[in-house]
């Protein structure tokens, strides 16, 4: 055989062997895929052809103690764009469609594009690009589908604020905003199926605290799609489960009264001349707290400035957000009741009295109430009251005599802490303050609460350690911006850790470094009112399922019994009755604002305060209580406590007990006209009817539903 032919035949045999091997390999692979693992691959192929579209649940209601809705839900027209359909259009058609949608929804094209590009939900779920649009806009899109391919207009559920009696309650309720990618990643890690990429979550107030109850459980619709992602039809659906209802201890009528009276006090102060600064009061912020003395439950809590929770519905614009954070707005997102920290002024004195009596000073102890007191190289003046000579604790509380309490502070400083550098010296006054809960958050069921501070020798030592470098550098380089700051930096750098006699004097009148929140002060006064039990304040009262089943009752929580004697508490409670009335030779500081009030039936106790703030006008405080309630009010840069806050506090008490008649005459009590039926908050929960309506508690239903 020719060698050339032999070579060609060999090559043909090799080629045939290769072809046979390839077919053999393909055959084996086909058997492997179709027979050995056919069922597995068929399941994977089926799953790839089905995509899930999330159905958001209806968020739970938030109601007051009578069942009145504070936060509910409403339907809103939402315009969305199907990204799959959009992607099948030409670039020119995409541009035309986006421009048309932007125009009809009142947006910029760039804003629509940004929304589409940042969407982190399902690729098979239309992307919401405009919420709360007018119905005529939605109808235009629905009636002209040829002009809006892939654009969907439908109704979705959003938050609503019914505002019973005109309440705002933003600082209590909070608001919602879309879940962040970090939060969603954490939810997936925690296997929390109640959250998804398109969820909205609570950001403040009880919306945040009780978010896991309110949010419900999302549903889903399984959508069958082809290999190109085109929708073929619905495969199956799992219904969303609505969120639970939060019943609060807030009473809408009392809340409305607190908000309105606080606002009126601020408005009046701004129109009132300040003889000290020779201009009208600035009255830039304020707060009021109404607390149930026997449980620590919050009945009302108002704050100014505030904001409209509706602004957050459907997403807040940058313009709106900038307005909320502007200097002119004075940070309305900050709840002054729980996050505002202020020098308590003379409202601090009752707690100093309990500490002093518990530590050994007799109830009939006398000190001189003079115009001022020289301590070291500084003259400490008697800020509010006149000179009354030798007086007792009770009289000093009634007239708010500073010089009396200066001497109380000096007594214990000389007895236990005459070494100003000794941060651990015994201090019964600071101990009493801390026992009443000052210096730490109260633990209320609202996030972001401030801690305040007890400005005693221990705090001063720790603050010196933390800030020594900052102030010593300022002193060395001379970078202080004001003469006061220059002097402060110099003295702080030298002996900023010293707790001197002047510090002890200032401490007893609620000045110096001590700061409290209105909520902390309300809780402390409730401990006086109930005989010494300190509660953790609460707003949530119960969690109720959509079918009316009570899932959880939120009971009052006792923190401790305050570490002062019963004798001291009883003495202060008796003494503070005198603040409300005239006496022989002097008047209680609130007497001129409570003339004609039925004190014989409503046994009010009270204390005023006017706290001095460097470079600003005085902070006005009034603290009042009886056996049932505590009412606290503060207005910054508003002058004296009784002058500015007294009238507003009185009006709240009138609302609580149904007090009738002109303030210039003798008023009477008509409990049938009280804001809360039966005068005290209901122990029972609202009634959840089978038809979904919520009624007042059964015993208080008659004539109360409005």
């Amino acid at each position: 055989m020719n060698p050339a032919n032999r070579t060609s035949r060999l090559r043909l045999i090799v080629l045939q062997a290769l072809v046979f091997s390839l077919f053999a390999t393909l055959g084996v692979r086909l058997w492997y895929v179709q027979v050995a693992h056919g069922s597995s691959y068929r399941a994977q192929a089926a799953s790839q052809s089905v995509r899930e579209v999330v159905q958001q649940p209806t968020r739970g209601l938030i109601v007051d103690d009578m069942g009145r809705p504070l936060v509910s839900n409403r339907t809103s027209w939402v315009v969305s764009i199907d990204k799959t359909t959009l992607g099948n259009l030409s670039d020119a058609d995409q541009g035309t469609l986006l421009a048309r949608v932007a125009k009809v929804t009142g947006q910029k094209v760039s804003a629509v594009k940004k929304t589409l590009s940042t969407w982190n939900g399902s690729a098979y779920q239309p992307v919401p690009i405009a919420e709360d649009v007018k119905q005529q806009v939605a109808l235009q899109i629905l009636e002209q589908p040829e002009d809006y391919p892939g654009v969907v207009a439908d109704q979705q559920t959003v938050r609503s604020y019914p505002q019973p009696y005109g309440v705002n309650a933003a600082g209590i309720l909070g608001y919602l905003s879309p879940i962040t990618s970090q939060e969603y990643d954490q939810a997936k890690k925690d296997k929390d199926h109640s959250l998804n990429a398109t969820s909205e979550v609570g950001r403040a107030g009880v919306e945040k605290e009780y978010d896991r109850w309110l949010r419900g459980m999302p549903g889903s619709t399984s959508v069958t799609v082809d290999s190109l992602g085109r929708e073929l039809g619905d495969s199956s659906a799992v219904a969303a489960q609505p969120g639970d209802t939060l019943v609060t201890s807030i009473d809408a009528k009392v809340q409305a009264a607190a908000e309105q009276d606080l606002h009126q006090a601020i408005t009046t102060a701004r129109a009132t001349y300040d003889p000290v600064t020779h201009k009208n009061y600035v009255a830039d912020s304020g707060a009021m707290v109404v607390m149930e003395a026997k449980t620590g439950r919050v009945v009302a809590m108002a704050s100014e400035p505030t904001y409209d929770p509706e602004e957050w519905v459907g997403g807040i614009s940058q313009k709106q957000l900038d307005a909320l954070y502007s200097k002119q707005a004075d940070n309305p997102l900050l709840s002054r009741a729980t996050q505002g920290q202020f020098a308590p002024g003379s409202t601090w004195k009752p707690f100093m009295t309990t500490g002093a009596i518990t530590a050994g000073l007799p109830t009939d102890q006398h000190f001189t109430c003079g115009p001022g007191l020289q301590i070291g190289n500084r003259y400490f003046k008697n800020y509010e009251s006149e000179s009354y000579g030798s007086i007792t604790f009770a009289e000093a509380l009634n007239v708010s005599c500073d010089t009396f309490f200066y001497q109380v502070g000096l007594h214990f400083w000389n007895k236990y802490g005459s070494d100003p550098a000794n941060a651990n010296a015994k201090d019964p006054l600071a101990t009493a303050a801390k026992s009443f809960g000052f210096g730490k958050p109260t633990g209320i069921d609202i996030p972001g609460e401030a801690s305040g501070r007890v400005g005693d020798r221990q705090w001063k030592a720790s603050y010196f350690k933390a800030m020594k470098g900052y102030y010593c550098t300022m002193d060395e380089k001379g970078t202080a911006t004001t003469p006061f700051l220059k002097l402060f930096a110099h003295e702080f750098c030298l002996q900023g850790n010293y707790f001197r006699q002047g510090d002890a004097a200032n401490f007893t009148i609620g000045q110096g470094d001590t700061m409290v929140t209105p909520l902390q002060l309300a809780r402390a006064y409730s401990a006086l009112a109930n005989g010494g039990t300190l509660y953790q304040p609460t707003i949530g009262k119960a969690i109720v399922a959509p079918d009316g089943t009570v899932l959880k009752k939120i009971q009052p929580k006792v923190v401790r019994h305050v570490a002062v004697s019963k004798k001291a508490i009883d003495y202060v409670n008796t003494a503070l009755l005198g603040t409300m009335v005239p006496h022989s030779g002097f008047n209680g500081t609130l007497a001129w604002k409570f003339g004609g009030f039925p004190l014989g039936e409503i046994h009010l106790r009270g204390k005023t305060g006017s706290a001095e703030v460097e470079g600003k006008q005085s902070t006005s405080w009034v603290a009042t209580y009886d056996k049932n309630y505590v009412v606290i009010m503060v207005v910054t840069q508003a002058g004296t406590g009784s002058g500015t806050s007294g009238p507003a506090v009185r009006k709240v008490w009138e609302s609580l007990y149904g007090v009738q008649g002109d303030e210039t005459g003798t008023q009477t009590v008509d409990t049938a006209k009280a804001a809360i039926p039966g005068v005290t908050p209901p122990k029972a929960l609202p009634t959840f009817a089978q038809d979904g309506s919520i009624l007042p508690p059964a015993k208080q239903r008659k004539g109360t539903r409005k």
Side-chain angles (χ1 to χ4, degrees):
M1 181 181 290
N2 190 313
N5 291 337
R6 190 181 301 115
T7 302
S8 297
R9 181 180 292 275
L10 182 60
R11 287 176 178 174
L12 183 59
I13 292 171
V14 172
L15 182 60
Q16 289 174 338
L18 287 173
V19 171
F20 177 79
S21 298
L22 287 173
F23 275 105
T25 302
L26 287 173
V28 172
R29 182 61 181 170
L30 187 61
W31 177 87
Y32 178 85
V33 171
Q34 291 186 336
V35 179
H37 293 275
S39 58
S40 173
Y41 283 106
R42 279 194 297 273
Q44 291 183 40
S47 68
Q48 288 176 359
S49 66
V50 177
R51 297 293 184 269
E52 286 192 348
V53 177
V54 174
Q55 305 297 327
Q56 295 294 356
T58 301
R59 196 169 173 86
L61 306 180
I62 301 174
V63 302
D64 80 346
D65 62 346
M66 289 289 172
R68 307 178 187 104
L70 301 174
V71 185
S72 59
N73 301 293
R74 61 179 173 82
T75 55
S76 166
W77 283 103
V78 178
V79 175
S80 308
I81 296 178
D82 186 336
K83 291 183 71 173
T84 302
T85 303
L86 183 67
N88 291 332
L89 300 177
S90 65
D91 290 345
D93 288 342
Q94 283 188 27
T96 300
L97 178 62
L98 294 180
R100 188 174 293 153
V101 173
K103 182 178 180 181
V104 77
T105 58
Q107 301 183 80
K108 294 181 179 179
V109 175
S110 58
V112 176
K113 289 182 177 179
K114 182 178 180 182
T115 302
L116 291 170
S117 65
T118 57
W119 172 251
N120 59 1
S122 170
Y124 295 93
Q125 185 165 353
V127 181
I129 54 95
E131 301 183 18
D132 248 355
V133 300
K134 294 181 180 179
Q135 186 177 11
Q136 63 188 49
V137 173
L139 292 177
Q140 179 179 339
I141 293 171
L142 291 172
E143 292 171 355
Q144 302 173 22
E146 68 280 0
D147 292 335
Y148 298 95
V151 181
V152 180
D154 61 358
Q155 288 188 307
Q156 298 179 16
T157 301
V158 296
R159 270 325 211 189
S160 174
Y161 300 88
Q163 297 186 324
Y165 306 104
V167 302
N168 170 266
I172 298 171
L173 302 174
Y175 56 91
L176 307 178
S177 70
I179 190 171
T180 65
S181 57
Q182 292 85 355
E183 289 170 331
Y184 181 45
D185 290 341
Q186 186 62 47
K188 288 190 291 185
K189 185 182 295 184
D190 297 338
K191 296 183 179 180
D192 184 353
H193 302 297
S194 66
L195 291 171
N196 56 76
T198 58
S199 292
E200 286 201 324
V201 295
R203 293 300 180 199
V206 292
E207 286 275 29
K208 182 175 181 179
E209 184 73 17
Y210 295 98
D211 185 64
R212 69 185 183 93
W213 298 96
L214 292 166
R215 71 171 73 125
M217 184 65 68
S220 62
T221 301
S222 297
V223 180
T224 306
V225 296
D226 63 14
S227 60
L228 297 177
R230 292 174 297 198
E231 186 176 323
L232 300 177
D234 294 347
S235 298
S236 62
V238 177
Q241 300 175 21
D244 303 312
T245 294
L246 171 66
V247 179
T248 70
S249 59
I250 299 299
D251 185 273
K253 276 191 175 181
V254 182
Q255 179 69 26
E259 290 176 358
Q260 292 161 12
D261 295 334
L262 172 63
H263 180 74
Q264 184 59 53
I266 290 175
T267 301
T268 301
R270 289 174 178 173
T272 303
Y273 179 74
D274 176 14
V276 177
T277 60
H278 305 294
K279 63 179 183 179
N280 284 4
Y281 290 112
V282 175
D284 47 357
S285 68
M288 181 177 281
V289 178
V290 181
M291 180 177 286
E292 194 177 355
K294 297 175 183 178
T295 64
R297 285 182 169 138
V298 177
V299 179
M301 192 161 64
S303 177
E304 281 215 14
T306 187
Y307 62 92
D308 183 359
E310 280 281 0
E311 289 189 73
W312 295 88
V313 176
I316 192 167
S317 68
Q318 188 61 49
K319 182 178 180 181
Q320 290 173 313
L321 199 60
D322 291 343
L324 288 176
Y325 283 108
S326 70
K327 185 177 181 180
Q328 185 177 2
D330 199 14
N331 197 5
L333 296 178
L334 178 75
S335 171
R336 266 59 179 190
T338 60
Q339 297 173 308
Q341 301 180 97
F342 315 99
S346 295
T347 60
W348 189 248
K349 292 173 182 174
F351 309 107
M352 299 296 94
T353 302
T354 64
I357 292 173
T358 301
L361 282 181
T363 54
D364 61 352
Q365 174 71 47
H366 281 66
F367 286 116
T368 300
C369 179
L373 190 67
Q374 188 72 35
I375 303 176
N377 61 357
R378 180 181 169 188
Y379 185 74
F380 286 72
K381 64 180 180 178
N382 189 13
Y383 180 69
E384 282 192 79
S385 70
E386 302 174 11
S387 299
Y388 291 98
S390 181
I391 61 175
T392 64
F393 274 107
E395 292 166 327
L397 289 170
N398 294 163
V399 299
S400 201
C401 180
D402 288 344
T403 48
F404 180 98
F405 282 94
Y406 292 152
Q407 293 168 81
V408 172
L410 291 175
H411 170 83
F412 288 108
W413 188 90
N414 289 324
K415 185 175 182 178
Y416 297 117
S418 57
D419 177 3
N422 183 5
N424 296 314
K426 183 178 179 180
D427 189 343
L429 302 183
T431 299
K434 292 175 181 178
S435 180
F436 276 95
F438 295 109
K440 292 183 178 180
T442 67
I444 190 173
D445 48 351
I446 286 183
E449 180 189 9
S451 63
R453 65 174 179 246
V454 176
D456 61 351
R457 58 179 68 229
Q458 290 183 353
W459 177 86
K460 198 161 189 181
S462 63
Y463 185 72
F464 177 75
K465 183 178 180 180
M467 300 300 294
K468 181 179 180 181
Y470 174 78
Y471 283 112
C472 287
T473 300
M474 182 184 294
D475 182 44
E476 292 170 4
K477 295 184 177 180
T479 55
T481 55
T482 66
F484 171 81
L485 190 57
K486 180 180 180 181
L487 178 62
F488 178 85
H490 180 68
E491 293 181 349
F492 185 92
C493 187
L494 293 176
Q495 297 175 334
N497 61 321
Y498 280 22
F499 191 80
R500 302 180 183 279
Q501 289 176 303
D503 296 312
N506 256 340
F507 183 79
T508 60
I509 65 164
Q511 292 285 173
D513 297 313
T514 295
M515 305 284 278
V516 304
T517 69
L519 181 67
Q520 286 176 324
L521 198 67
R523 178 172 73 150
Y525 272 93
S526 74
L528 288 177
N530 64 39
T533 302
L534 194 71
Y535 284 95
Q536 177 178 317
T538 52
I539 290 175
K541 200 170 182 180
I543 305 292
V544 181
D547 64 0
T549 302
V550 178
L551 302 175
K552 179 182 181 181
K553 286 188 177 181
I554 303 165
Q555 302 292 353
K557 296 179 182 178
V558 175
V559 176
R560 61 176 168 271
H561 192 89
V562 294
V564 297
S565 67
K566 182 179 183 300
K567 173 185 175 182
I569 291 176
D570 291 345
Y571 179 86
V572 168
N573 283 336
T574 300
L576 292 181
L577 288 168
T579 308
M580 316 300 297
V581 297
H583 297 261
S584 176
F586 68 89
N587 292 329
T589 55
L590 274 170
W592 69 302
K593 292 299 180 182
F594 277 81
F597 190 86
L599 294 169
E601 295 180 69
I602 306 170
H603 304 297
L604 286 190
R605 299 160 173 82
K607 187 70 196 78
T608 58
S610 302
E612 294 182 88
V613 181
E614 177 65 29
K616 294 184 177 181
Q617 296 165 310
S618 297
T619 296
S620 167
W621 282 99
V622 165
T624 53
Y625 64 101
D626 74 345
K627 64 180 181 179
N628 294 318
Y629 297 105
V630 175
V631 180
I632 300 287
M633 182 173 172
V634 61
V635 182
T636 56
Q637 300 205 76
T640 65
S642 57
T644 297
S645 300
V649 169
R650 175 175 180 156
K651 287 183 179 297
V652 171
W653 282 107
E654 291 172 352
S655 176
L656 286 169
Y657 283 97
V659 175
Q660 304 297 304
D662 194 326
E663 293 180 5
T664 59
T666 300
Q667 294 181 304
T668 58
V669 176
D670 184 354
T671 55
K673 296 182 179 179
I676 301 175
V679 174
T680 56
K683 294 181 180 180
L685 297 176
T687 301
F688 289 78
Q690 291 183 351
D691 63 0
S693 61
I694 305 176
L695 304 174
K699 291 183 179 180
Q700 295 173 286
R701 190 177 305 163
K702 187 177 180 181
T704 64
R705 188 71 175 177
K706 295 184 179 179

